[in-house]
Amino acid sequence: GAVVSQHPSRVICKSGTSVKIECRSLDFQATTMFWYRQFPKQSLMLMATSNEGSKATYEQGVEKDKFLINHASLTLSTLTVTSAHPEDSSFYICSASRFTMNTEAFFGQGTRLTVV
Amino acid sequence: DAKTTQPPSMDCAEGRAANLPCNHSTISGNEYVYWYRQIHSQGPQYIIHGLKNNETNEMASLIITEDRKSSTLILPHATLRDTAVYYCIVSGSARQLTFGSGTQLTVLP
């Protein structure tokens, strides 16, 4: 199957700093990528939809100024957690799919963010 | 998107078939049934998806009832590495998936 790669897989940062997470589709072009967040013992929650060449669409309750999303190419989307706080500590996961609407979506391996 | 109902947990003996049920009684005609699984601290892994007909691939089989109100994911010969949370998702598009709480499958030696 197609490969979606996230980097870094794990990051620890200090409160108040910003952290950038990259999501790459390695062998296909993804016009849309999705960012999810997962807290311990909970399911994945969609944060935002990242569209190549346009502004991201954020889910209700997700602060767009705090979680900056950039999708500058068909193979790369980035999520920047700005001014991170301990409550932002979570597992962040991206997904991407090919242009065809009903093909499967592929997920990255996730990024474990710990804010201290 | 239609909601799904799955049992919170199931056990299965290693080497036996694991049958994971999912109810989706409000599914619409253009919505697919997707199955993903998540092994601890990893991103979800695609397993299989279908619309009306039963589907089979190298990982699993998907049996969808004729009225499409429920489905069953079958892992024919479960191994310890199949221990994971299995998510049944109904959606008109694979590009945006809403995850429920899933079924924690534990394969026992």
Side-chain angles (χ1 to χ4, degrees):
Chain A
V3 179
V4 174
S5 177
Q6 267 184 256
H7 177 80
S9 58
R10 187 181 298 269
V11 60
I12 301 173
C13 72
K14 293 184 178 180
S15 289
T17 62
S18 295
V19 173
K20 180 184 286 187
I21 302 170
E22 293 186 346
C23 179
R24 294 181 184 272
S25 56
L26 298 184
D27 55 357
F28 67 97
Q29 293 184 330
T31 54
T32 307
M33 292 184 176
F34 300 90
W35 288 95
Y36 295 80
R37 181 169 53 184
Q38 185 176 32
F39 291 107
K41 299 188 183 301
Q42 295 186 22
S43 190
L44 284 76
M45 296 297 296
L46 180 65
M47 297 176 65
T49 301
S50 169
N51 300 297
E52 188 268 335
S54 64
K55 291 184 178 180
T57 303
Y58 291 82
E59 295 299 303
Q60 190 173 8
V62 178
E63 301 175 56
K64 63 180 180 180
D65 294 331
K66 181 170 184 61
F67 298 99
L68 301 179
I69 291 173
N70 182 275
H71 193 157
S73 77
L74 288 173
T75 59
L76 174 64
S77 175
T78 61
L79 169 68
T80 301
V81 182
T82 63
S83 186
H85 291 284
E87 56 264 32
D88 298 323
S89 298
S90 187
F91 193 51
Y92 292 87
I93 309 167
C94 70
S95 76
S97 65
R98 296 183 179 91
F99 179 74
T100 305
M101 291 293 286
N102 287 315
T103 56
E104 58 272 29
F106 297 95
F107 287 78
Q109 68 267 43
T111 297
R112 175 73 60 192
L113 170 63
T114 302
V115 185
V116 297
Chain B
D1 290 346
K3 292 184 177 179
T4 62
T5 304
Q6 298 178 253
S9 64
M10 292 182 64
D11 292 340
C12 176
E14 187 178 18
R16 305 297 289 269
N19 298 285
L20 291 89
C22 179
N23 287 321
H24 32 79
S25 59
T26 59
I27 190 171
S28 299
N30 63 344
E31 290 182 315
Y32 286 72
V33 180
Y34 296 90
W35 282 85
Y36 283 79
R37 71 180 183 184
Q38 186 178 26
I39 297 171
H40 183 62
S41 294
Q42 297 182 23
Q45 178 188 20
Y46 167 80
I47 301 174
I48 199 166
H49 75 285
L51 182 62
K52 293 182 180 180
N53 299 323
N54 298 336
E55 302 287 343
T56 295
N57 62 21
E58 64 277 6
M59 289 184 67
S61 294
L62 173 60
I63 308 299
I64 303 174
T65 58
E66 192 169 343
D67 62 8
R68 303 213 317 130
K69 293 185 176 182
S70 66
S71 60
T72 301
L73 178 73
I74 301 173
L75 306 179
H77 305 287
T79 70
L80 298 179
R81 289 181 295 180
D82 292 322
T83 292
V85 178
Y86 286 76
Y87 296 99
C88 169
I89 303 168
V90 173
S91 177
S93 168
R95 291 152 58 89
Q96 188 167 5
L97 303 171
T98 301
F99 286 79
S101 53
T103 296
Q104 171 66 59
L105 174 68
T106 302
V107 180
L108 303 172

